[in-house]
């Protein structure tokens, strides 16, 4: 394992990943770079490379639901800053990213110079967001607080619930005993104050934007 500081770019579009990597190598040549194209490869990369110092995260990748990947990374690696890179730069999307724990938000339309400045600002311990007109949402703040109570494994189970999987299917997907899944589901519903699996699935759907999250 290399001790060099590392940046991870998670985006399912190869051409955009290449463009971001080019900016990183021009502006931050001292950093190594890693790539991920899905929620699964993102999780594996973070597990395999504890030296990652920053994640650049697209909102729309296979295995994600809106802000679910952001919340998952923030829950599992609370000290690791995450910067969202998205073509959906609606003020409410930017505000929600901030409330759900992102350290920055870079529109995909931003020039390379702004992208470099944003990444450097976050690496220096700050944050970087475009000007926003959307007001802070107390509902989003409450949702983020409720989801923060879940363990990483419970969050994975919750995403499976949102996909309509039965306990047996969740157990097979996550490599767990079916009884363990039942225990997790009970805990999830209690922590989220949900009365049913359907209600929990609706809560996960609220992580998506009203008009869908584009990459």
């Amino acid at each position: 394992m290399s001790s060099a500081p590392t940046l991870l770019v998670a985006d399912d579009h190869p051409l955009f990943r290449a463009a971001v990597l080019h900016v990183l190598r021009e502006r931050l040549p001292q950093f190594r770079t890693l790539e991920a194209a899905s929620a699964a490869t993102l999780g594996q990369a973070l597990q395999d490379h504890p030296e990652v110092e920053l994640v650049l995260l697209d909102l729309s990748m296979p295995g994600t639901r809106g802000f679910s990947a952001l919340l998952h990374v923030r829950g599992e690696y609370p000290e690791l800053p995450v910067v969202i890179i998205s073509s959906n730069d609606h003020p409410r999307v930017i505000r929600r990213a901030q409330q759900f724990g992102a350290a920055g938000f870079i529109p995909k339309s931003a020039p390379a110079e702004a992208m470099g400045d944003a990444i450097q600002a976050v690496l220096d311990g700050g944050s970087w967001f475009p000007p926003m007109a959307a007001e802070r949402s107390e509902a989003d703040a409450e949702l983020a607080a409720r989801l923060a109570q879940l363990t990483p494994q419970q969050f994975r189970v919750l995403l499976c619930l949102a996909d309509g999987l039965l306990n047996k299917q969740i157990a097979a997907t996550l490599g767990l005993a079916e009884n363990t899944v039942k225990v997790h589901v009970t805990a999830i519903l209690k922590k989220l104050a949900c009365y049913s699996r359907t209600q929990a699935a609706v809560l996960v759907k609220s992580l998506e934007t009203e008009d869908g999250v584009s990459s």
Side-chain angles (χ1 to χ4, degrees):
M1 184 182 70
S2 170
S3 60
T6 304
L7 306 179
L8 174 58
V9 179
D11 191 296
D12 64 334
H13 292 272
L15 288 177
F16 187 76
R17 282 204 312 275
V20 174
L21 290 170
H22 176 73
V23 172
L24 293 176
R25 288 163 185 157
E26 288 285 321
R27 290 290 300 267
L28 302 162
Q30 73 274 26
F31 281 84
R32 291 178 63 242
T33 54
L34 299 172
E35 301 178 55
S38 67
T41 54
L42 168 63
Q44 191 63 52
L46 290 174
Q47 185 176 329
D48 293 344
H49 297 276
E51 74 274 17
V52 169
E53 294 194 10
L54 176 74
V55 176
L56 295 165
L57 177 65
D58 181 21
L59 284 177
S60 179
M61 292 190 300
T64 66
R65 283 174 172 265
F67 295 99
S68 66
L70 169 62
L71 285 160
H72 195 181
V73 174
R74 295 295 299 139
E76 200 152 357
Y77 305 94
E79 302 303 317
L80 180 63
V82 180
V83 175
I84 298 297
I85 299 186
S86 178
S87 59
N88 187 340
D89 58 356
H90 188 280
R92 175 155 164 75
V93 174
I94 298 172
R95 176 63 73 189
R96 296 190 85 191
Q98 187 177 45
Q99 288 195 240
F100 290 147
F105 189 105
I106 306 172
K108 285 190 174 181
S109 58
E113 183 179 354
M115 187 178 297
D117 290 345
I119 294 168
Q120 189 63 64
V122 173
L123 286 171
D124 289 342
S127 61
W128 194 95
F129 291 91
M132 290 175 283
E135 295 295 327
R136 173 183 169 83
S137 165
E138 292 305 322
D140 284 341
E142 180 187 354
L143 175 58
R146 290 162 71 187
L147 290 169
Q149 299 177 73
L150 302 182
T151 67
Q153 189 70 283
Q154 288 169 353
F155 197 88
R156 284 188 280 267
V157 172
L158 175 61
L159 294 182
C160 289
L161 285 179
D163 288 332
L165 299 186
L166 302 175
N167 286 356
K168 184 176 182 179
Q169 295 169 309
I170 296 173
T173 299
L174 299 181
L176 301 172
E178 189 171 350
N179 189 59
T180 301
V181 173
K182 291 179 182 177
V183 171
H184 281 319
V185 170
T186 299
I188 288 166
L189 297 181
K190 182 177 180 180
K191 288 180 177 180
L192 298 183
C194 291
Y195 299 105
S196 68
R197 299 163 73 101
T198 300
Q199 191 179 10
V202 170
L203 185 146
V204 173
K205 185 166 180 58
S206 73
L207 295 175
E208 301 171 9
T209 59
E210 290 81 353
D211 25 294
V213 176
S214 37
S215 58

